[in-house]
Amino acid sequence: MTRVQVDRERCISSGVCEHVAPAVFELDDDGVLQVLQAEPDDPAAAAEAVRGCPSGALSFS
Amino acid sequence: MSAPVVPSGSGLEAVDLSDRTFWAQPPEVKHAVLDQLRAEAPFAFFAEPEIPYLPVGPGYHAVTRYADLEAISCRPDLFSSGAGAVSIQDMPPDLNEFYGSLISMDDPRHAKIRRIVAKAFTPRILEGLVGSVQAVAEDVVARARRTAEEGDGTIDVVADLAAPIPLRVICDLMGVPDEDRAMVLHESNVILSGGDPELIESEEHAVEAFLTAGALLSGLMTRMAVERRSHPADDLTTALVNAEVDGERLTDQEIASFFILLLVAGNETTRNAISQGVLALSEHPDQRDRWAADPGLDKTAVEEIVRWTSPITWMRRTATQDVELSGRSFPAGTKFLLFYAAANRDPAVFADPHRFDLARDPNPHVGFGSKGPHFCLGAHLARREISVAFRTIFQQLPDLEVVGPPARLQSSFVNGLKRLPARLPR
Ligand code: HEM
Ligand code: SF4
């Protein structure tokens, strides 16, 4: 099973992931990234977000 | 001027990316050269342009391949921004005081400041503050219509449409008083002029003009920061003075530098995306009609406009140690200019890269920067502004017709238009 993980030390709150896969990622009011679906309904969109993350904070496990 | 080191017999010997008149040429001319550099001399070396009063540095390599650009951008430990990201020369300390914000910082300082400002810049906060983007766009467009009706039916797309939208959005966001906005526009123009002779009296005055602009903007922001501490308002300045990470807040000086960065980074970039977007649509009427008829195209269209126009032509990095790239070695201290404009047309990544295609998907352009911690902080805001601007133009100014050639900015750093004449016949 693919689970999305975020490394909050690396995350720069760019919001790229939320732009690409809004069902999976959301920056909260403090700019901290929340993973809404750890096991995404749309793995392709999640994979695109992981690829697009500028800080390399996202990965699958 | 300086002579580039490129393969002899390639026709590239005459090319000098440091010559600002090169950048005032039409895009097809520039892209032909960038294509050739990417194919034949992907790390071409150029001498630095001479700026009075600044010492001339060792020169730089022009990075034109997407893969090399990404390899550099994603290793901030090997390729520093702290030596200067937005100028080819190392900045003298007095200029750095005003211009040495986020974009020209390295970790750990960068991470700390970025975390603080990101807190004030979340999509949610912007959503709240920026409900006004629509209102701003509608007002600007209505004024442009009046300007045309009261005059000879013409407008300048840059001054009447593209410039006021991002300027008013940033000023609204920050809470800049109305009476200071003309100064803000003028001084941010000076900063981003790249020394264009029309905007700066003479090269001798360039450094002085930059210092004056920095002092005026910094003075305004310091005043606003002090006011907001005692009288909080619903704006970004208030969020910035209050934002705290690990018990640390921004100093007034840091807030002032950040404000200048926002003006520079957020204003002219978005302005040039809009003005050159209008130009690109007038050159591709079929694409224009398609987008005007289909708001479903907004998302991909905005990305393609940013790829196509690449409003920021390059950012600089400096090697912190001896490095290797694509099998070539470079010593510590080597300067690299990351030519986003070239990477965004790299045929290894983009099918038919010189085709303007508003439905392009995937579109992993690097117009907002490539991988790494400096990725554009304002990308959401810019996307929103561009998409709202075009939708409003389609609805309110469907008759907008570009009637003359654009006046291009003589700057290697900002891909800009100074003027773009258009007509509003109805
Ligand atoms: C179409 C419009 C825009 C373009 C093309 C653009 C382009 C860029 C680029 C290429 C960088 C990367 C810097 C690097 O890697 O060294 C950047 C960074 C930045 N941009 Fe934008 N930008 C745009 C709009 C905006 C807006 C609207 C704002 C703010 C309101 C903004 C604020 C910033 C800031 C603060 C940084 C520095 C981030 C850091 O160093 O951590 N930009 N931008
Ligand atoms: S794309 Fe990466 S850096 Fe940006 S918010 Fe998502 S996880 Fe953080």
Side-chain angles (χ1 to χ4, degrees):
Chain A
M1 192 67 236
T2 49
R3 284 185 69 86
V4 185
Q5 281 188 322
V6 54
D7 175 349
R8 297 220 164 77
E9 282 303 302
R10 299 189 77 147
C11 171
I12 54 166
S13 304
S14 72
V16 169
C17 53
E18 182 173 337
H19 181 72
V20 173
V24 185
F25 303 101
E26 186 178 86
L27 285 167
D28 70 15
D29 292 345
D30 282 333
V32 177
L33 186 72
Q34 304 299 336
V35 179
L36 306 178
Q37 298 175 351
E39 294 177 6
D41 295 342
D42 180 352
E48 197 189 330
V50 171
R51 257 198 316 278
C53 168
S55 71
L58 296 177
S59 58
F60 286 115
S61 64
Chain B
M1 280 228 104
S2 47
V5 177
V6 295
S8 58
S10 62
L12 286 169
E13 295 92 337
V15 169
D16 182 4
L17 297 187
S18 291
D19 178 359
R20 88 162 67 88
T21 58
F22 172 85
W23 297 99
Q25 300 179 92
E28 50 292 1
V29 177
K30 293 185 278 187
H31 279 294
V33 171
L34 294 175
D35 280 349
Q36 204 185 346
L37 285 171
R38 191 194 308 103
E40 297 170 24
F43 294 100
F45 183 81
F46 295 91
E48 301 190 11
E50 288 174 28
I51 296 193
Y53 307 120
L54 293 185
V56 180
Y60 59 86
H61 292 273
V63 179
T64 41
R65 283 196 302 221
Y66 188 100
D68 294 326
L69 193 152
E70 185 173 278
I72 293 175
S73 189
C74 74
R75 290 298 303 269
D77 53 330
L78 298 180
F79 301 95
S80 145
S81 293
V86 297
S87 65
I88 297 173
Q89 289 82 10
D90 293 345
M91 284 267 186
D94 47 352
L95 279 178
N96 234 348
E97 182 183 338
F98 299 131
Y99 300 120
S101 187
L102 206 57
I103 208 159
S104 299
M105 275 178 197
D106 290 325
D107 277 354
R109 188 118 195 88
H110 175 267
K112 201 194 93 188
I113 307 264
R114 173 103 190 191
R115 206 150 282 166
I116 295 179
V117 298
K119 250 181 126 150
F121 235 92
T122 62
R124 217 84 39 231
I125 291 189
L126 288 183
E127 206 62 29
L129 297 173
V130 173
S132 70
V133 171
Q134 184 67 45
V136 166
E138 278 172 15
D139 186 52
V140 167
V141 160
R143 277 171 202 249
R145 168 74 71 196
R146 271 201 304 283
T147 303
E149 279 167 2
E150 287 164 11
D152 59 358
T154 65
I155 60 164
D156 171 11
V157 171
V158 177
D160 296 319
L161 285 179
I165 293 175
L167 178 74
R168 281 187 48 189
V169 168
I170 300 247
C171 287
D172 282 357
L173 273 179
M174 299 295 290
V176 174
D178 285 341
E179 63 270 23
D180 294 306
R181 294 187 176 199
M183 179 278 277
V184 167
L185 177 63
H186 181 261
E187 302 311 328
S188 55
N189 271 337
V190 166
I191 295 172
L192 267 212
S193 63
D196 184 287
E198 204 176 305
L199 292 160
I200 290 199
E201 283 164 56
S202 71
E203 292 219 322
E204 283 71 41
H205 287 123
V207 171
E208 198 185 310
F210 288 154
L211 277 173
T212 309
L216 282 170
L217 293 171
S218 165
L220 168 65
M221 194 61 214
T222 310
R223 204 178 78 214
M224 283 167 50
V226 169
E227 276 168 20
R228 291 305 187 280
R229 273 200 195 93
S230 47
H231 297 95
D234 191 13
D235 58 28
L236 196 57
T237 305
T238 306
L240 282 174
V241 297
N242 290 328
E244 195 182 284
V245 166
D246 301 334
E248 274 204 74
R249 294 184 184 206
L250 299 182
T251 64
D252 282 1
Q253 178 61 59
E254 285 166 341
I255 291 178
S257 302
F258 181 65
F259 172 57
I260 293 176
L261 174 61
L262 282 189
L263 284 175
V264 176
N267 232 327
E268 322 259 339
T269 49
T270 312
R271 166 206 305 194
N272 289 313
I274 295 173
S275 64
Q276 305 208 63
V278 168
L279 181 60
L281 293 182
S282 85
E283 289 165 351
H284 301 87
D286 52 323
Q287 298 265 331
R288 186 203 168 280
D289 294 348
R290 196 176 154 201
W291 186 14
D294 179 10
L297 219 53
D298 283 1
K299 200 164 168 173
T300 54
V302 167
E303 300 307 317
E304 181 67 346
I305 283 182
V306 176
R307 182 189 77 93
W308 186 254
T309 59
S310 296
I312 296 288
T313 308
W314 51 260
M315 288 279 168
R316 184 185 130 199
R317 297 292 190 270
T318 308
T320 57
Q321 57 189 70
D322 296 355
V323 289
E324 202 164 293
L325 285 164
S326 295
R328 287 191 51 177
S329 309
F330 300 91
T334 302
K335 295 181 184 184
F336 297 92
L337 293 199
L338 311 184
F339 277 88
Y340 301 121
N344 277 339
R345 305 278 179 111
D346 188 338
V349 176
F350 300 98
D352 210 349
H354 294 296
R355 205 167 89 86
F356 181 63
D357 175 6
L358 294 178
R360 186 179 286 277
D361 185 26
N363 186 353
H365 70 80
V366 288
F368 290 120
S370 180
K371 296 278 160 70
H374 292 279
F375 185 84
C376 181
L377 179 72
H380 312 287
L381 180 58
R383 288 181 170 123
R384 168 87 175 245
E385 288 182 74
I386 296 167
S387 129
V388 168
F390 279 97
R391 190 55 52 200
T392 311
I393 291 172
F394 294 150
Q395 283 166 356
Q396 316 279 330
L397 308 175
D399 50 336
L400 178 78
E401 188 192 337
V402 171
V403 290
R408 293 184 187 279
L409 191 67
Q410 285 185 22
S411 161
S412 83
F413 180 58
V414 178
N415 178 23
L417 299 187
K418 291 188 285 190
R419 284 177 300 279
L420 179 64
R423 213 157 55 99
L424 289 173
R426 268 188 268 124

